[in-house]
Amino acid sequence: MADSVQEGRKLSRGFSGLALLGAILVVAGLVGLVYTGVATLTSMILFGWLLLVGGLVGLLHAIQSRGTSYFWLGVVVAALNIAAGVVVIRHPHGTAEALTMFAALLFLTGGVFRLVGSVVVRGPQFGWTLLQGAFGLLLGLLVLFDWPHSSLYVLGCFFSLALLFDGLGLIAIGVGGRRIVSMVSDQLGQDRAGQGQPPGDKQKRSEG
């Protein structure tokens, strides 16, 4: 029983840590929504370092597997990741412009396909699909018409929204997990208290 109590406390601390991390992400997301330019630059630098570190790890893994058919493919992929990471870190603004253009084209093509598909198929979700397609098309046009100035805030806004929703999800998991652990601990405490009662008291309680 003592082991169960200790495990419950560990789980409770773990869920508290998740909730704290979620709160930090929520604050970071809100700050990023206010300062979208800084969030865009930060996201590009983080993206570049992720590519660079991933390329180095992939290169080490390829070296360890030399002599196999994976070696040269691993070296090429790692070299591309390292080169892309260096370019992104050295030119974050240019990378943001290129990725914003790519995002705008994705919104445009996705919106067009949804619009055409909703009109052609006319399924049960016709109105919702039509609305999604129109929204994607409009968003793509807005980003594209304001390019390259839109690259200063679009990616930062998306990055901040991702942090915000991830943080809210972690907070929900942490709070819900702590509540479940507390309920289980209370139930275990009641069962232990019931098992510790004398048989006469149990019989009297059942008769009452």
Side-chain angles (χ1 to χ4, degrees):
M1 187 65 68
D3 294 338
S4 300
V5 173
Q6 291 179 357
E7 290 295 328
R9 290 176 179 174
K10 289 181 181 179
L11 285 174
S12 181
R13 287 195 295 269
F15 284 120
S16 298
L18 283 179
L20 179 60
L21 178 60
I24 294 173
L25 291 180
V26 167
V27 172
L30 293 175
V31 172
L33 289 175
V34 176
Y35 302 99
T36 52
V38 177
T40 298
L41 185 62
T42 303
S43 63
M44 290 298 97
I45 294 175
L46 288 176
F47 179 56
W49 278 108
L50 285 175
L51 287 174
L52 185 60
V53 173
L56 292 175
V57 172
L59 183 60
L60 291 176
H61 182 67
I63 292 174
Q64 291 177 354
S65 62
R66 58 182 179 274
T68 64
S69 58
Y70 168 79
F71 174 71
W72 288 110
L73 178 62
V75 169
V76 171
V77 173
L80 289 176
N81 285 333
I82 292 172
V86 171
V87 171
V88 172
I89 293 173
R90 294 188 61 182
H91 305 283
H93 295 288
T95 304
E97 293 179 359
L99 290 178
T100 302
M101 172 66 74
F102 182 69
L105 293 177
L106 283 180
F107 288 140
L108 283 174
T109 53
V112 169
F113 276 113
R114 283 191 176 91
L115 284 174
V116 174
S118 63
V119 172
V120 172
V121 176
R122 291 184 177 274
Q125 301 294 329
F126 169 73
W128 180 247
T129 307
L130 187 67
L131 182 61
Q132 284 182 321
F135 180 75
L137 183 62
L138 179 61
L139 185 59
L141 290 175
L142 290 175
V143 174
L144 192 61
F145 288 158
D146 199 30
W147 189 86
H149 182 264
S150 58
S151 63
L152 298 177
Y153 58 86
V154 169
L155 297 179
C157 183
F158 290 162
F159 179 67
S160 301
L161 287 175
L163 288 178
L164 180 61
F165 287 115
D166 287 344
L168 291 175
L170 288 178
I171 290 175
I173 293 173
V175 174
R178 277 181 58 87
R179 187 174 300 172
I180 293 174
V181 170
S182 177
M183 293 172 59
V184 173
S185 300
D186 293 341
Q187 185 64 38
L188 289 175
Q190 292 177 3
D191 293 341
R192 183 174 59 180
Q195 291 175 0
Q197 291 179 350
D201 293 344
K202 293 182 181 179
Q203 186 176 2
K204 290 179 181 178
R205 179 171 296 183
S206 63
E207 291 176 356

